[in-house]
Amino acid sequence: MKHAILDLGTNTFLLLIVEAESDLTFKILHQSKRVVKLGQGGIGKNHIQKPAFKRGVQALLSLQKTIQ
């Protein structure tokens, strides 16, 4: 069975796709990193600026294609 793991951080979104093996180990099928800089321009004010939000959405759409 294949599994996709997303780690959504303030600066980067990470994607790991693995396949579970019968001996309870995992085989790495894909790893990628997208720099999104969500905190740029406002995270200290508890706000994500529109350009940063757009970068995050674009990264998620790209990662979705990879996962599919």
Side-chain angles (χ1 to χ4, degrees):
M1 177 182 285
K2 295 179 184 175
H3 302 276
I5 300 102
L6 288 169
D7 177 4
L8 306 178
T10 304
N11 291 311
T12 58
F13 289 1
L14 306 173
L15 171 63
L16 177 67
I17 300 174
V18 298
E19 186 166 14
E21 302 287 340
S22 59
D23 62 354
L24 302 178
T25 61
F26 295 93
K27 177 181 175 184
I28 296 174
L29 302 176
H30 177 85
Q31 288 180 302
S32 63
K33 175 180 175 178
R34 302 275 195 266
V35 177
V36 293
K37 297 183 181 181
L38 287 181
Q40 191 173 44
I43 200 75
K45 302 170 194 165
N46 294 323
H47 181 74
I48 298 175
Q49 297 291 321
K50 285 185 182 184
F53 187 84
K54 287 181 183 179
R55 285 192 302 273
V57 170
Q58 289 172 346
L60 287 173
L61 291 172
S62 174
L63 293 171
Q64 179 186 26
K65 288 179 184 176
T66 302
I67 291 168
Q68 290 175 341

